[in-house]
Amino acid sequence: MTVKSLSQPVPHSVGLNRPALALPPNACDSHMHIFDPRFAASKHWKRQPPRAEVGDYRLLQQRLGTPRTVVVNPSTYGTDNACTLDALAQLGERARGIAVVDQDVSDEALDLLAARRICGLRVNFVTPQSWGMTTAQMLITLARKVARLGWHVQVFVQPEQLVELAPVLAALPVPLVIDHIGRIDPADGVRGEAYATMRRLLDAGNTWVKLSGVYMRSRDGAPAYRDCAAMGRALVEAAPERLVWGSDWPHTTEHPNTVNDADLADVLAAWCQSVDARDRILVDNPAKLYGFGAD
């Protein structure tokens, strides 16, 4: 019999319920962060980071049923990836990492990251960065540097930035991953210019989208985030082979203790026309994008 709830709460996650429909074996949470007080925040970062350690996240893995995970280095640490690398060492072979580096990063430094299961770079155009303003040229430079490694570049952008950067994004020499559904306002949704831009990038075959951070722009809110449903369903219908899902735990953009991660898994299921489509997004797609082998 399936256990529908847990007795132990997960830090930074509301509720004790599990996903209504159990996740498949080898399901992957493709976007989360670790914050460990053993590692100092960058001097550029002014907010107090949460305490969200690997042990806390393992509780979420047990609750959701996501043995595979992708640790994304948060902007809190600037270009210091030590916390993420430590998390990868603790989580083992079922974890991959996304690093943040300066455009002057050396090939030797990138090789060292690759040896520790980093498989992509995040380039953030939204929040403050340790180097100052992020530019299109920085993105191009970094993409060229990691092409030899077979990595991808993940961008965190505002919808208007997605539109503005579209020619640059379309020409990158590596796969592109768009964070958090491009932060597209559901009020604009599938009728807006940002969604049209995202679709053109997806249709070209070199772009992936993370179905994560649904709460960032939703006005309807939990548990179903209904105003985002039309856009989510349209993306699943358009490109089910190039979507991945992530919890975005510990939800640093939201008020503390307001996000139920099991609800987020249920939202993905509601967006998918079939269990097979959901399982592809949770298992097959991240296995391809992040290089997970057979367990």
Side-chain angles (χ1 to χ4, degrees), residues 112-192:
L112 289 173
L113 291 173
R116 299 176 72 176
R117 296 196 307 281
I118 296 293
C119 61
L121 297 181
R122 191 186 201 205
V123 181
N124 185 334
F125 289 85
V126 175
T127 58
Q129 298 298 293
S130 56
W131 52 71
M133 181 178 293
T134 302
T135 67
Q137 187 56 54
M138 291 175 64
L139 173 62
I140 294 168
T141 298
L142 289 171
R144 289 173 176 168
K145 286 191 173 190
V146 303
R148 66 182 180 85
L149 295 168
W151 287 7
H152 63 269
V153 171
Q154 173 179 319
V155 295
F156 185 34
V157 291
Q158 299 286 12
E160 60 274 18
Q161 293 172 319
L162 180 66
V163 174
E164 180 183 354
L165 289 168
V168 172
L169 299 176
L172 291 177
V174 297
L176 168 71
V177 178
I178 299 173
D179 263 6
H180 303 322
I181 326 176
R183 287 182 55 86
I184 294 174
D185 190 331
D188 299 326
V190 298
R191 297 178 298 277

Side-chain angles (χ1 to χ4, degrees), residues 12 29-33 35 57 60 72 122 179-180 211-216 245-254 259 261 264:
H12 311 290
D29 179 354
S30 296
H31 191 106
M32 47 75 70
H33 309 283
F35 298 88
Y57 181 70
L60 184 67
V72 179
R122 191 186 201 205
D179 263 6
H180 303 322
L211 302 179
S212 57
V214 62
Y215 42 69
M216 290 183 180
W245 175 87
S247 68
D248 194 33
W249 185 90
H251 315 295
T252 57
T253 64
E254 307 307 296
V259 178
D261 292 271
L264 299 179

Side-chain angles (χ1 to χ4, degrees), residues 3-15:
V3 178
K4 288 297 184 183
S5 63
L6 300 177
S7 59
Q8 183 177 1
V10 177
H12 311 290
S13 187
V14 174

Side-chain angles (χ1 to χ4, degrees), residues 25-233:
N26 291 326
C28 182
D29 179 354
S30 296
H31 191 106
M32 47 75 70
H33 309 283
I34 295 295
F35 298 88
D36 189 318
R38 293 178 298 148
F39 300 93
S42 170
K43 292 180 179 179
H44 88 281
W45 197 255
K46 304 306 180 185
R47 301 200 308 262
Q48 178 66 32
R51 186 166 186 153
E53 300 174 58
V54 169
D56 301 323
Y57 181 70
R58 282 186 171 133
L59 295 175
L60 184 67
Q61 288 184 292
Q62 294 168 20
R63 178 182 175 193
L64 296 181
T66 50
R68 291 175 173 174
T69 191
V70 179
V71 186
V72 179
N73 201 62
S75 296
T76 304
Y77 294 116
T79 58
D80 184 350
N81 295 281
C83 182
T84 291
L85 293 173
D86 179 81
L88 292 175
Q90 292 186 60
L91 290 165
E93 292 296 328
R94 286 184 158 193
R96 298 290 185 270
I98 305 300
V100 177
V101 300
D102 187 86
Q103 65 178 338
D104 296 327
V105 64
S106 67
D107 286 348
E108 292 76 15
L110 292 171
D111 289 340
L112 289 173
L113 291 173
R116 299 176 72 176
R117 296 196 307 281
I118 296 293
C119 61
L121 297 181
R122 191 186 201 205
V123 181
N124 185 334
F125 289 85
V126 175
T127 58
Q129 298 298 293
S130 56
W131 52 71
M133 181 178 293
T134 302
T135 67
Q137 187 56 54
M138 291 175 64
L139 173 62
I140 294 168
T141 298
L142 289 171
R144 289 173 176 168
K145 286 191 173 190
V146 303
R148 66 182 180 85
L149 295 168
W151 287 7
H152 63 269
V153 171
Q154 173 179 319
V155 295
F156 185 34
V157 291
Q158 299 286 12
E160 60 274 18
Q161 293 172 319
L162 180 66
V163 174
E164 180 183 354
L165 289 168
V168 172
L169 299 176
L172 291 177
V174 297
L176 168 71
V177 178
I178 299 173
D179 263 6
H180 303 322
I181 326 176
R183 287 182 55 86
I184 294 174
D185 190 331
D188 299 326
V190 298
R191 297 178 298 277
E193 188 177 4
Y195 180 82
T197 299
M198 182 180 292
R199 275 297 310 273
R200 286 192 292 272
L201 290 167
L202 273 172
D203 293 347
N206 198 45
T207 295
W208 301 65
V209 173
K210 285 192 175 184
L211 302 179
S212 57
V214 62
Y215 42 69
M216 290 183 180
R217 302 298 295 270
S218 174
R219 295 173 180 82
D220 288 351
Y225 305 95
R226 288 188 177 87
D227 51 345
C228 298
M231 184 165 55
R233 289 172 179 152

